[in-house]
């Protein structure tokens, strides 16, 4: 399968170093020659010299127009799987393989094809049928040259609905299938909060929210138009660093100008954030954003002091009063690195339950689904250790008393920014009255509370910069 849009981008990126892709038959012949599957009895210096030892599945294929690179190719069960990834820079000098983003995408797509075809390799008729279906499946998996779903096998059940060419010229390439049935729209705002709390006067605590608006629109028509708005409560923190899906047809430029790298001012766009779009057939993220909320959801302090062969620990946690006190789960994990197994534990918790992990190197404080009415909980304890062995966790950063508590929680039907989708503001220009479902969730991500009695490593201080 060829993608003219990708070939045009390659010509733009590569400039004078661009090598055009030859015809399918010419490319196949050149690839077979490079893989030594034809003319392998003839010595060809550029291919067979002992100074060229290929240690990967990436090849340089010689064509009449020049050397095509990087061609990703490998053999599996009598078939050759190959693709030509896009290199988004000039080709001379050749960039390191690790910097070519398209290689990992291409490999994932090829492995997805292998997973789809391989189970049928002993049945020639079944394999031929699958290979015949593959072109249609690629329209859905990789419509414009960028892999959207590399699990080709998961698309197998819906290949009958995929059209080789859209019957309606207005149908966009990313809408590869048409829906038949009762219209319904599901939207979910997922916000993840990252946090670093140090408990020190000379080090500033840091936190930030990362949000994504996921949509699944089951609507009839080849190109239905949908308009959806994100709203903020009064005086809610504005959304920043907004990135929209390519199916969005237009946005207010001011919406995209707000950046977390710059200080907030009164002119920052604060919504409502309106997105008109033609939805893809499958679930997708309509937009991503960040936000600088005034407080983290859980404030904590951690003190770890070494006294002889024992460690004394104190952990205090407080749920901010603006946060919904209803968790799906909430727990604090306290790891102990570079030490032996915990042999003795004396502890007292004001709320919840404290468990010791099976490998005896981690304390898990399970807080459950609610904080108490005071919104504050505490843990005190004394820990002793046995002799360290290779099985117990080590960490080159967290040595001595440098240690942390890491929080894990999820709050359903809640967002830290207060951001929400107004169901009444969703406009769908298609027949029928759709069923609309909107939800939200807040999930912890890299939520650390560092020991205030020891220096926190600098690498973690700058993690959120």
């Amino acid at each position: 399968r060829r993608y003219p849009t990708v070939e045009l981008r390659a010509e733009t990126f590569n400039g004078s170093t661009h090598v055009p892709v030859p015809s399918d038959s010419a490319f196949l012949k050149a690839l077979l020659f490079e893989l030594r599957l034809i003319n392998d009895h003839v010595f060809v210096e550029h291919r067979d010299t002992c100074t060229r030892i290929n240690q990967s599945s990436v090849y340089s294929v010689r064509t009449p127009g020049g050397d095509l690179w990087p061609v990703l190719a490998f053999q599996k069960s009598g078939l050759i799987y190959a693709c030509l990834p896009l290199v988004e820079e000039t080709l001379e000098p050749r960039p390191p393989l690790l910097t070519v983003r398209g290689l990992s995408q291409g490999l994932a797509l090829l492995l997805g094809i292998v997973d789809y075809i391989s189970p049928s390799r002993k049945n020639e008729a079944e394999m031929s049928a699958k290979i015949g279906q593959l072109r249609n499946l690629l329209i859905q998996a990789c419509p414009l040259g960028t892999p959207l779903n590399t699990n080709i096998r998961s698309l197998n059940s819906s290949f009958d609905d995929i059209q080789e060419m859209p019957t309606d010229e207005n149908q966009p390439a990313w809408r590869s299938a048409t829906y038949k049935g009762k219209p319904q729209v599901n939207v979910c705002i997922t916000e993840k909060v990252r946090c670093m709390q140090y408990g020190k006067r000379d080090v500033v605590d840091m936190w930030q929210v990362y949000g994504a608006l996921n949509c699944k629109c089951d609507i009839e028509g080849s190109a239905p138009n949908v308009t959806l708005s994100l709203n903020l409560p009064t005086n809610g923190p504005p959304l920043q660093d907004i990135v929209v899906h390519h199916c969005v047809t237009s946005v207010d430029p001011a919406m995209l100008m707000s950046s977390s790298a710059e200080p907030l001012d009164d002119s920052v766009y604060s919504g409502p954030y309106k997105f008109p779009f033609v939805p893809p057939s499958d679930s997708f993220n309509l937009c991503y954003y960040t936000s600088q909320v005034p407080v983290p959801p859980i404030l904590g302090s951690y003190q770890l002091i070494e006294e002889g062969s024992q460690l004394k620990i104190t952990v205090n946690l407080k749920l901010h009063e603006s946060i919904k006190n209803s968790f799906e789960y909430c727990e604090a994990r306290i790891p102990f690195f570079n030490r032996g197994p915990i042999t003795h534990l004396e502890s007292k918790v004001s709320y919840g339950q404290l468990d010791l992990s099976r490998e005896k190197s981690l304390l898990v404080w399970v807080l459950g689904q609610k904080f108490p009415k005071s919104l504050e909980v505490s843990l005190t304890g004394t820990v002793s250790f046995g002799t360290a062995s290779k099985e117990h966790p080590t960490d080159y950063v967290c040595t001595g008393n440098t240690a942390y508590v890491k929080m894990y929680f999820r709050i359903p039907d809640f967002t830290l920014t207060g951001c929400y989708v107004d169901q009444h503001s969703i406009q769908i220009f298609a027949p029928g009255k759709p069923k609309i479902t909107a939800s939200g969730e807040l999930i912890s991500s890299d939520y650390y509370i560092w020991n205030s009695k020891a220096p926190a490593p600098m690498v973690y201080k700058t993690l959120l910069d």
Side-chain angles (χ1 to χ4, degrees), residues 23-40:
S23 65
D24 291 356
S25 58
F27 175 78
L28 177 59
K29 184 177 179 180
L31 178 62
L32 293 175
F33 182 83
E34 181 63 32
L35 296 176
R36 299 173 61 90
L37 296 175
I38 58 174
N39 295 338
D40 61 325

Side-chain angles (χ1 to χ4, degrees), residues 153-213:
R153 186 189 291 182
S154 71
L155 305 175
N156 190 27
S157 60
S158 60
F159 75 86
D160 289 331
D161 299 328
I162 302 171
Q163 305 165 34
E164 175 75 20
M165 291 296 291
T167 55
D168 189 334
E169 62 180 12
N170 295 320
Q171 181 172 336
W174 62 82
R175 191 169 173 81
S176 55
T178 54
Y179 173 77
K180 298 292 183 183
K182 186 176 180 181
Q184 52 187 357
V185 176
N186 292 297
V187 293
C188 178
I189 301 173
T190 297
E191 290 188 351
K192 295 185 177 181
V193 55
R194 299 175 67 185
C195 188
M196 296 286 160
Q197 298 181 40
Y198 303 100
K200 297 176 179 292
R201 291 184 177 180
D202 58 334
V203 183
V204 179
D205 294 345
M206 306 179 74
W207 59 89
Q208 192 165 29
V209 179
Y210 300 81
L213 174 58

Side-chain angles (χ1 to χ4, degrees), residues 29 32-50 52:
K29 184 177 179 180
L32 293 175
F33 182 83
E34 181 63 32
L35 296 176
R36 299 173 61 90
L37 296 175
I38 58 174
N39 295 338
D40 61 325
H41 61 285
V42 179
F43 176 80
V44 181
E45 185 172 354
H46 82 270
R47 181 190 69 178
D48 302 319
T49 175
C50 62
R52 181 184 173 192

